[in-house]
Amino acid sequence: FLGDRDEIGEELDQLVFNRRLVNKKRSYCHKAQYHWTDGEKRVIRDARGCLRSFGEGKGEKRAFNDSEELDEKNLTITVEPGVVTSEISKLAAAHDLLYAGDPCSGDASFIGGNIAENAGGNKVIKYGATGAQVLALEVVLADGTLTWFGGKRRKDVTGLDFTHLMAGSEGTLAIITKAVLRLLPLPRHSVDLLAAFPDPETAIAFVPQIIKKGGIVPASIEFMDKKALSLAERYLNNPVPAGDAGAATGRQLRQTRY
């Protein structure tokens, strides 16, 4: 949980000048931890862009998990970093819009962490990773300065692109306190396809042909080799389609128009 933005700035400013930050070795992908070393239980922060606890005795703490604005004119949504990613998708869908940055873990990840890691899932082939969905960021810099990078404009090319420098920086450059994300039209129709192939090489070689000869960019695509298919059957205790194939690809095709 976080305090307010001023508290974040004050703590970071004090942190920098007293050099009390220890960057501990990452234990795994989403657990880069930063600890105060003054002997107090002060800050435990990870690359998800949110703080688990921030200061003591400095007023009300909150989770920074508000969805502040859905702008249907500019097709954007403004959210705080503690919002669960799937909630953004649900809110967008309720307005016939799509948030395309869900990295296949939307119900178990925060948007702040997705941005900090530039997370990507099986939809990057069509929509790109999380950073491609970010139009603007409000951040607190290491000296405590609260500032904005980017904006709702699609042609935002003046000056350096600090917005996308922050995406994927894993919390090393700033603390994300707000994000403006782009939204797209919600697809009206979709179909999931599973194709079997004799071997992995053939399956992989087929993917660019879908785009080049079929003229279609799949909304998502997954690859499974024979071992993965066998493990899926064992886990489900049931045969799966193409279970005896050398490899398989799963893809989703979407149509936006009626």
Side-chain angles (χ1 to χ4, degrees), residues 95-110:
H95 292 79
D96 290 327
L97 295 168
L98 169 73
Y99 172 63
D102 191 327
C104 301
S105 59
D107 59 345
S109 66
F110 300 112

Side-chain angles (χ1 to χ4, degrees), residues 169-242:
S169 64
E170 301 188 353
T172 59
L173 301 179
I175 292 177
I176 298 167
T177 54
K178 199 179 295 186
V180 179
L181 309 172
R182 70 167 184 157
L183 300 176
L184 300 171
L186 185 69
R188 302 300 179 181
H189 308 285
S190 66
V191 59
D192 297 320
L193 304 174
L194 179 68
F197 298 90
D199 53 68
E201 291 75 18
T202 306
I204 293 170
F206 184 71
V207 174
Q209 300 306 315
I210 301 171
I211 301 171
K212 291 174 61 179
K213 294 185 178 180
I216 299 172
V217 179
S220 64
I221 194 157
E222 290 277 11
F223 167 79
M224 298 179 72
D225 61 12
K226 188 172 183 62
K227 184 176 182 180
L229 290 167
S230 298
L231 289 172
E233 287 188 323
R234 186 186 307 173
Y235 177 78
L236 296 171
N237 197 25
N238 218 8
V240 299

Side-chain angles (χ1 to χ4, degrees), residues 72-83:
E72 295 189 70
K73 292 183 178 179
N74 288 294
L75 298 182
T76 65
I77 185 169
T78 302
V79 297
E80 292 183 325
V83 176

Side-chain angles (χ1 to χ4, degrees), residues 34 71 168:
Y34 301 79
D71 185 343

